[in-house]
């Protein structure tokens, strides 16, 4: 009897030590996009045809390596011009019946797993706090993180985080870091229709 109790206590102690040595990470839990079987995955691009501001058409964001949603935004509660938030918080910014398309990295004719999306998501997490102002005014270089907007921040995450050019892949006319041309959110949507596309639409979330 004593031997049985001793073994049980030893087993319980071992399990306790394992739990404390390897704590459960809540962010590691994989969740799916609402209404789909696709998991929220680092590097995924969230695209909406309309922003929540009536004077702003189109919005994009990227999933970080911690599965938070990172984006540069003109929202009143984000004075810095960029934020990282949960998927539910992000979706709450859009009006009812809004549709958010989910795009996933996967160059035409190539097969994963890919490290580029994780690298792009990590860059977004590490650099969103460097944004000081949201602006779509011309004259600012694509390399300027401090003055930013949604699709520019997305471009930077892929360019500087993963060395991947995501602009105009269907035209092959890529931007350079010193370019001051605006990169429109809709270009993510248009690029999927080309053999040169690096994104594929995997789901549409209807709020």
């Amino acid at each position: 009897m004593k031997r049985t109790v001793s073994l049980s206590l030893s087993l319980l102690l071992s399990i306790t030590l394992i739990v404390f040595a390897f704590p459960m990470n809540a962010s590691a839990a994989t969740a799916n996009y609402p209404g789909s079987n696709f998991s929220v995955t680092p590097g995924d691009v969230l695209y909406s045809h309309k922003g929540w501001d009536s004077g702003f058409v189109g919005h994009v964001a990227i999933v970080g390596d911690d599965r938070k949603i990172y984006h540069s935004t003109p929202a009143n509660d984000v004075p810095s011009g960029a934020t990282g938030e949960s998927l539910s918080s992000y979706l709450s910014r859009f009006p009812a019946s809004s549709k958010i398309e989910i795009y996933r990295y996967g160059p035409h004719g190539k097969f994963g797993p890919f490290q580029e999306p994780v690298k792009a998501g990590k860059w977004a997490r590490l650099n969103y706090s460097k944004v000081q102002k949201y602006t779509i005014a011309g004259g600012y270089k694509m390399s300027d993180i401090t003055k930013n907007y949604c699709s520019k921040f997305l471009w930077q995450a892929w360019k500087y985080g993963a060395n991947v050019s995501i602009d105009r892949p269907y035209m092959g006319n890529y931007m350079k870091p010193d370019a001051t041309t605006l990169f429109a959110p809709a270009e993510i949507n248009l690029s999927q229709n080309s053999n040169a596309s690096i994104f594929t639409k995997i789901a549409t979330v209807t709020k």
Side-chain angles (χ1 to χ4, degrees):
M1 180 66 178
K2 290 183 178 180
R3 180 177 176 81
T4 302
V5 172
S6 178
L7 288 173
S8 298
L9 290 174
S10 297
L11 180 60
L12 181 61
L13 178 61
S14 298
I15 293 174
T16 302
L17 289 174
I18 290 173
V19 169
F20 279 99
F22 303 98
M24 291 295 290
N25 186 345
S27 65
T30 301
N32 290 344
Y33 292 105
S36 84
N37 294 321
F38 289 96
S39 62
V40 180
T41 301
D44 284 355
V45 175
L46 283 64
Y47 167 72
S48 170
H49 294 275
K50 295 182 179 180
W52 52 88
D53 184 317
S54 60
F56 179 72
V57 180
H59 191 68
V60 287
I62 183 172
V63 178
D65 61 345
D66 57 356
R67 292 184 171 80
K68 285 187 176 181
I69 312 302
Y70 292 92
H71 57 123
S72 181
T73 167
N76 292 332
D77 65 323
V78 187
S80 64
T83 189
E85 57 191 332
S86 67
L87 176 61
S88 60
S89 174
Y90 179 78
L91 295 178
S92 72
R93 295 183 178 279
F94 296 87
S97 300
S98 294
K99 294 183 183 298
I100 292 87
E101 298 174 352
I102 313 300
Y103 290 83
R104 183 159 292 173
Y105 178 82
H108 182 78
K110 296 183 179 180
F111 300 93
F114 302 105
Q115 288 300 311
E116 289 87 349
V118 178
K119 292 179 180 179
K122 180 179 180 180
W123 188 95
R125 174 176 60 83
L126 294 177
N127 290 277
Y128 81 98
S129 60
K130 295 178 182 178
V131 178
Q132 298 175 8
K133 180 181 180 181
Y134 176 94
T135 178
I136 57 173
Y140 296 109
K141 295 181 179 180
M142 291 296 288
S143 58
D144 185 352
I145 300 175
T146 62
K147 307 296 189 301
N148 229 311
Y149 54 90
C150 65
S151 44
K152 178 180 177 181
F153 182 75
L154 181 69
W155 182 92
Q156 292 169 340
W158 283 94
K159 184 66 175 179
Y160 300 123
N163 195 30
V164 173
S165 294
I166 66 171
D167 59 284
R168 303 171 175 82
Y170 52 97
M171 294 172 59
N173 182 22
Y174 299 109
M175 289 184 176
K176 295 182 179 179
D178 61 353
T180 56
T181 305
L182 291 176
F183 172 43
E187 293 196 43
I188 294 297
N189 182 46
L190 293 172
S191 70
Q192 70 167 328
N193 299 317
S194 165
N195 286 338
S197 173
I198 58 175
F199 291 109
T200 299
K201 183 169 70 174
I202 61 169
T204 298
V205 175
T206 300
K207 185 181 172 186

